[in-house]
Amino acid sequence: MAFSNAGLSWINHLVGAPVLTASSEVATMPVTNLIDDHRSSRWRSVGAGSAQINFDLGSIMPIGVVGLFGLNHRAAQWRIQLSATGIGNGDVLDTGTIDANIKPGYAQTVYCPPEPLNARYGRITLTDASDPPIQAHEAGTLWVGDLYRTQRNFSYGDAPMWTDPSVISRSRGGQVYVDVRDPFRAYELEFRGLTREEAYTVALEIDRVAGVRGNVLVVPTPGGPFQNYEAILGRPVIATPVPRWRHNLHRKRWVFEERL
């Protein structure tokens, strides 16, 4: 089965949106935490029953990816509804209730519609059947954005990895002590077949908008069996040029470091 070329999303439409609400929230962990750069700044529902997140982007926007990051679920299902006029009023997307397919240790789920669509309003409904049950729904970041899929895929040599920033020290007696820090992922990708247009409207635009400070959502294989392992929401940590190395072909290398 063939899957789409890699997808890149560098603008979260929810940032600055006029409406972002939830069916319930703990006062100290409001739903507005979902647009914080760090997924450790979290939204928590009151109780573990079905929970909804609703948003109004303010105007019709192109949407190619919806992702939730920093989840506490183990057996979650979700339903995504998007509309240009109002939820339940001519939805342009209704996934129905589907498995969120959250992988142990990755705490994220990403959905890419088969075709890009345009919508203003959205609703995400979460349920969870974990045993033992969760006490509440929690999430760190909600991303709703366009997804640019490159005309030519990234080159061989892409390199996902886990980084353990724990600090190791050794005593005079030789004992090793560990100051444990949370591990995080990184992903190195190089695109060697960017068109002239993609060089300016994608690669250099990501450099302009995100630089090494802002978040980018990378989906290496949209629709693939490892999508929820591979997808990474993080910042580019290495700034590289976009040289033209063949007639009308440019290349760009990125290393993305996961936000915690």
Side-chain angles (χ1 to χ4, degrees):
M1 182 177 181
F3 299 103
S4 169
N5 288 350
L8 300 164
S9 182
W10 57 95
I11 296 177
N12 186 356
H13 296 325
L14 290 174
V15 177
V19 176
L20 177 61
T21 62
S23 54
S24 68
E25 61 184 27
V26 173
T28 55
M29 300 174 71
V31 71
T32 50
N33 282 351
L34 290 175
I35 58 172
D36 190 278
D37 277 342
H38 299 280
R39 73 182 199 188
S40 56
S41 177
R42 304 163 73 81
W43 158 73
R44 177 186 289 170
S45 69
V46 177
S50 176
Q52 290 183 341
I53 303 167
N54 302 288
F55 56 85
D56 173 3
L57 301 178
S59 61
I60 293 176
M61 298 284 191
I63 298 175
V65 64
V66 178
L68 273 170
F69 303 87
L71 294 162
N72 69 324
H73 305 77
R74 297 183 298 276
Q77 292 184 310
W78 64 338
R79 178 185 181 186
I80 305 168
Q81 296 170 268
L82 299 173
S83 173
T85 55
I87 296 303
N89 181 22
D91 290 345
V92 296
L93 174 72
D94 186 346
T95 63
T97 300
I98 58 176
D99 187 358
N101 198 26
I102 300 169
K103 305 302 182 183
Y106 287 77
Q108 63 182 20
T109 184
V110 173
Y111 179 82
C112 302
E115 298 292 336
L117 46 85
N118 297 302
R120 172 174 173 174
Y121 302 92
R123 171 176 294 158
I124 295 172
T125 304
L126 290 168
T127 57
D128 191 273
S130 297
D131 185 15
I134 60 173
Q135 300 303 305
H137 298 276
E138 290 187 15
T141 301
L142 173 59
W143 188 280
V144 178
D146 198 5
L147 187 71
Y148 185 87
R149 307 189 190 199
T150 55
Q151 293 186 31
R152 297 176 180 85
N153 213 359
F154 53 84
S155 304
Y156 287 112
D158 62 304
M161 67 176 292
W162 280 92
T163 297
D164 185 352
S166 297
V167 178
I168 309 297
S169 59
R170 186 180 294 273
S171 71
R172 290 184 178 181
Q175 294 81 16
V176 170
Y177 295 91
V178 181
D179 182 6
V180 178
R181 310 285 176 86
D182 289 337
F184 59 88
R185 294 182 299 132
Y187 210 125
E188 181 176 351
L189 293 164
E190 184 173 16
F191 294 82
R192 298 179 185 172
L194 297 175
T195 66
R196 188 80 162 156
E197 180 180 0
E198 289 174 330
Y200 285 100
T201 63
V202 180
L204 289 170
E205 190 64 5
I206 290 175
D207 286 350
R208 184 186 72 84
V209 173
V212 295
R213 64 195 181 278
N215 285 340
V216 178
L217 174 54
V218 184
V219 188
T221 314
F226 301 103
Q227 177 174 280
N228 285 345
Y229 286 111
E230 294 177 327
I232 185 167
L233 176 64
R235 63 184 186 88
V237 295
I238 295 177
T240 64
V242 191
R244 181 167 59 175
W245 68 285
R246 294 185 63 181
H247 178 67
N248 286 337
L249 287 183
H250 291 249
R251 67 173 181 260
K252 174 68 172 178
R253 174 177 166 264
W254 279 291
V255 176
F256 297 97
E257 189 176 278
E258 183 179 34
R259 289 275 197 175
L260 296 182

